[in-house]
Amino acid sequence: MNLTLGVKVLIVVICALVSVIVGIAAMWLSHAPGTPVRPAILYGGGSFGGCMLLCLAVLQALKVL
């Protein structure tokens, strides 16, 4: 695909926003009341990184980026 740079940047920003939502949901689901928040934040960060990596890998395989 021959996409302009602006469209590619927009696609990457959308992937980042989806990854943030996934990370927040994972953090929220992994946190138990009465426990420290730090492990939940690390879990959410790992989920964000994994989701972002997966999104970019799929876009690269589809030759969008």
Side-chain angles (χ1 to χ4, degrees):
M1 294 181 122
N2 292 332
L3 300 175
T4 63
L5 180 63
V7 173
K8 289 180 182 181
V9 169
L10 183 63
I11 291 172
V12 171
V13 167
I14 290 171
C15 287
L17 290 176
V18 169
S19 297
V20 165
I21 292 170
V22 169
I24 289 172
M27 180 185 75
W28 183 62
L29 289 172
S30 71
H31 180 64
T35 60
V37 179
R38 183 178 176 131
I41 292 173
L42 290 174
Y43 192 81
S47 298
F48 167 79
C51 185
M52 188 70 180
L53 184 67
L54 182 66
C55 287
L56 292 177
V58 167
L59 290 174
Q60 186 68 33
L62 294 174
K63 301 202 185 317
V64 174
L65 297 180

